[in-house]
Amino acid sequence: MEGSAKPTGETAKLHRRFGWLAALGVVLVLAGLVGLVYTGLATLTSMILFGWLLLIGGAVGLLHAVQARGNNFFWLGVVVAALNIAAGVVVIRTPEAAAEALTMFAALLFLTGGVFRLAGSLVVRGPQFGWTLVQGAFGLLLGILVLANWPSSSKYVIGTFFSLALLFDGLGLIATGYGGRRVVSMVSKQLTTESDERDGPDGGGVKPVQPE
């Protein structure tokens, strides 16, 4: 029937889309695992990608600023775009130095965040006191470890974080893909069952009235 062909086609499309989503998740998981093994290569790759993002973002921002040159914020947009382009060129040309600077910045963030969490948990002592205390201690310890081994730590810290992000994003996509396919199958099965019950074996489920 025409009414049942359309849902079947839509179901197949949804199955394929969720399947591609899960396949992308598998690729990201594999890339994350490879990055965790080769953290130095992952660090250089992530810094080069970061540099290109800065460069492309600066070029797009400069184009928008030129198109809106009658705006009062024209020169601010030009300056921000030029800074992004310059930063992108520097990062692409010297990814090792950029990784060292970014690692130092991340370590300082861990330190300050850990100190503030520890102080806040000790002062407030709220319902999440224990968890906040553990988070603060972990951030403080991580920042100290990164700074203690800097600049050699810059060879693997950024790559490790980048690879872990790929790994967890990939796992999330895999879960979404398989979960979506399962939900689509359940809904399709339910709709098919309801359609069969509604139609019945004799077309409408209504028995003809026999004359007396």
Side-chain angles (χ1 to χ4, degrees):
M1 292 186 298
E2 294 181 359
S4 61
K6 186 175 180 180
T8 303
E10 294 296 329
T11 301
K13 289 180 181 179
L14 288 175
H15 267 278
R16 285 195 298 269
R17 290 173 182 174
F18 281 115
W20 281 112
L21 197 65
L24 178 61
V26 172
V27 173
L28 291 181
V29 167
L30 292 177
L33 292 176
V34 172
L36 289 176
V37 175
Y38 303 99
T39 54
L41 180 61
T43 298
L44 291 178
T45 303
S46 60
M47 294 311 302
I48 292 174
L49 288 176
F50 180 61
W52 277 107
L53 286 176
L54 287 175
L55 192 62
I56 295 173
V60 173
L62 184 61
L63 180 61
H64 286 171
V66 171
Q67 290 177 348
R69 51 184 174 271
N71 197 301
N72 295 329
F73 298 98
F74 167 72
W75 288 109
L76 178 61
V78 171
V79 170
V80 173
L83 289 176
N84 284 334
I85 292 174
V89 172
V90 171
V91 171
I92 292 173
R93 295 190 62 179
T94 58
E96 295 88 356
E100 292 179 3
L102 193 58
T103 301
M104 172 67 76
F105 180 70
L108 293 177
L109 284 181
F110 289 138
L111 280 175
T112 55
V115 169
F116 276 109
R117 282 195 177 95
L118 283 174
S121 62
L122 293 175
V123 172
V124 177
R125 293 183 178 272
Q128 301 293 330
F129 167 74
W131 177 245
T132 307
L133 191 67
V134 170
Q135 282 184 320
F138 179 76
L140 185 63
L141 179 62
L142 186 60
I144 293 174
L145 289 176
V146 172
L147 282 180
N149 295 310
W150 190 86
S152 61
S153 59
S154 62
K155 297 179 181 179
Y156 58 84
V157 169
I158 304 299
T160 301
F161 290 159
F162 180 68
S163 301
L164 287 175
L166 289 178
L167 181 62
F168 287 115
D169 286 345
L171 291 175
L173 288 178
I174 291 174
T176 302
Y178 279 104
R181 287 170 65 90
R182 185 176 179 183
V183 169
V184 169
S185 298
M186 292 173 61
V187 172
S188 177
K189 184 177 180 181
Q190 182 66 25
L191 291 176
T192 303
T193 303
E194 292 178 357
S195 177
D196 292 341
E197 291 177 354
R198 184 171 56 252
D199 293 341
D202 48 3
V206 179
K207 296 181 179 181
V209 178
Q210 298 292 334
E212 296 180 357

